[in-house]
């Protein structure tokens, strides 16, 4: 049977995600939004591109959760993006209402779905979606680390004048400003970047990475990043739909792993057809441990504010 993926929120991130899924022919796509006409119009436009992409998936836009029923994957992008000088955390209360209502609806209409949360502040929103749906934590996760990693890979590739494809890295912790990079596990085809670049250069690239979202908000002025976020979601969707079992940094529920309990935060996981198949625990050195703890504490603060 053909797979079905719903994208909640037909804005920049949602519509771009729907486009990538349809272009790759991964599954039928339902694009949902509260604004009348927008999901329908964008879905129709994407559907009309499918013949040119040799893709035979079905794409539909809707304002009704009924149409999203029995989805295999639901991607939540609904909510407000940042404006200049706003942090992701400033979006907390406005976006919590949106994510909660979407999660309530998904729990009723797609009780077996795997949920990927993109709405910011993403780690807290993933925890909220999990609490609201009461799904197994294996089926609720957030997208953040893949995007942070991709930004770092881009800046490293430019600095070293090598292909970003050859750069591997892993980023833990809360998304964006709170990320915890692991330079000693960052390599160019297996060669640690610590052998290739000075610490001060790596630190400068990491600083640009952690404020990578804000850099784009500052340039766009009326919205936040969406091409790379959507591409990061696609990597997760592909790993789940094709049961690829890729090792990807995602925000998942920690229940003792890394010494953290009852919190959604970014760690490396294996993603397959059942969602989060396992959390990969790497041994952190003292400084990394301290940064990770600090990052978890910031996410925990948001969870406290949400009182969930
Ligand atoms: N249900 C469904 N859709 C909603 C709801 C809701 N309750 N509330 C808002 N939306 C829709 C809006 O109508 C809009 O179409 O969410 C969409 C958001 O789109 P954009 O404003 O373009 O925002 P986008 O750039 O896509 O970012 C969405 O992802 O990366 C994060 O920080 C970003 O939290 C933000 C989210």
């Amino acid at each position: 049977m053909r797979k079905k993926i719903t994208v909640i929120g037909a804005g920049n991130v949602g519509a771009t995600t729907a486009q990538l899924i349809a272009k790759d022919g991964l599954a039928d796509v339902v694009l949902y939004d509260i604004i009348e006409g927008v999901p329908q119009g964008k879905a129709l436009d994407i559907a009309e591109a499918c013949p040119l992409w040799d893709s035979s998936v079905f794409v539909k836009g809707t304002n009704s959760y009924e149409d999203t029923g029995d989805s295999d994957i639901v991607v939540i992008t609904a909510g407000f993006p940042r404006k200049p000088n706003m942090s992701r955390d400033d979006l907390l209360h406005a976006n919590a209402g949106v994510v909660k209502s979407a999660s309530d609806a998904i729990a009723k209409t797609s009780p077996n779905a795997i949920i990927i949360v993109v709405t910011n502040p993403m780690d807290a929103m993933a925890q909220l979606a999990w609490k609201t749906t009461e799904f197994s934590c294996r089926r609720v996760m957030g997208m953040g680390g893949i995007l942070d990693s991709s930004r770092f890979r881009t800046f490293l590739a430019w600095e070293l004048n090598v292909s970003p494809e050859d750069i591997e890295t892993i980023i833990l912790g809360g998304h964006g400003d709170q990320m915890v990079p692991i330079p000693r596990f960052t390599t160019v085809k297996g060669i640690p970047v610590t052998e290739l670049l000075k610490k001060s250069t790596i630190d400068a690239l990491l600083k640009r990475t952690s404020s990578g979202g804000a850099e784009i908000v500052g340039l766009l002025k009326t919205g936040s990043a969406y091409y790379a976020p959507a591409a990061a979601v696609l990597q997760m969707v592909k790993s789940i739909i094709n049961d690829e079992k890729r090792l990807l940094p995602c925000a998942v529920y920690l229940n003792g792993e890394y010494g953290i309990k009852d919190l959604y935060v970014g760690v490396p996981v294996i993603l397959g057809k059942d969602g989060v198949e396992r959390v990969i625990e790497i041994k952190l050195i003292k400084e990394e441990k301290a940064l990770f703890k600090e990052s978890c504490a910031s996410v925990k603060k948001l969870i406290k504010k949400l009182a969930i």
Side-chain angles (χ1 to χ4, degrees), residues 121-143:
M122 178 280 296
D123 303 270
M125 293 300 110
Q127 185 137 359
L128 176 62
W130 168 67
K131 275 269 176 183
T132 309
T133 54
E134 297 183 346
F135 284 4
S136 151
C137 60
R138 298 286 165 209
R139 291 199 282 125
V140 182
M141 63 201 83
M143 185 292 293

Side-chain angles (χ1 to χ4, degrees), residues 2 34 59 62 68 70 86 95 108 114-115 118 133 136 165 180 224 227 272 276 291:
R2 285 157 77 129
I34 42 167
V59 188
T62 186
T68 71
D70 289 325
M86 268 177 103
N95 282 351
K108 289 192 190 96
I114 290 174
I115 300 179
V118 183
T133 54
S136 151
E165 276 183 74
V180 179
S224 51
Y227 292 114
V276 180
L291 284 174

Side-chain angles (χ1 to χ4, degrees), residues 7-16 32-36 38-39 42 62 65 76-82 87-88 91 94-95 97-102 117-122 125 143 147 151 175 217 220 222-226 229-230:
V7 181
I8 313 273
N12 284 335
V13 179
T16 310
Y32 171 94
D33 203 287
I34 42 167
I35 300 180
E36 277 176 36
V38 168
K42 291 192 181 181
T62 186
Y65 270 104
I76 303 181
T77 75
F80 303 94
R82 277 194 282 175
S87 77
R88 287 182 181 83
L91 299 170
N95 282 351
V98 173
V99 169
K100 191 162 185 332
S101 70
V117 179
V118 183
T119 306
N120 276 310
M122 178 280 296
M125 293 300 110
M143 185 292 293
L147 174 59
R151 286 183 172 145
H175 174 40
V217 172
L220 296 181
T222 54
S224 51
Y226 52 101

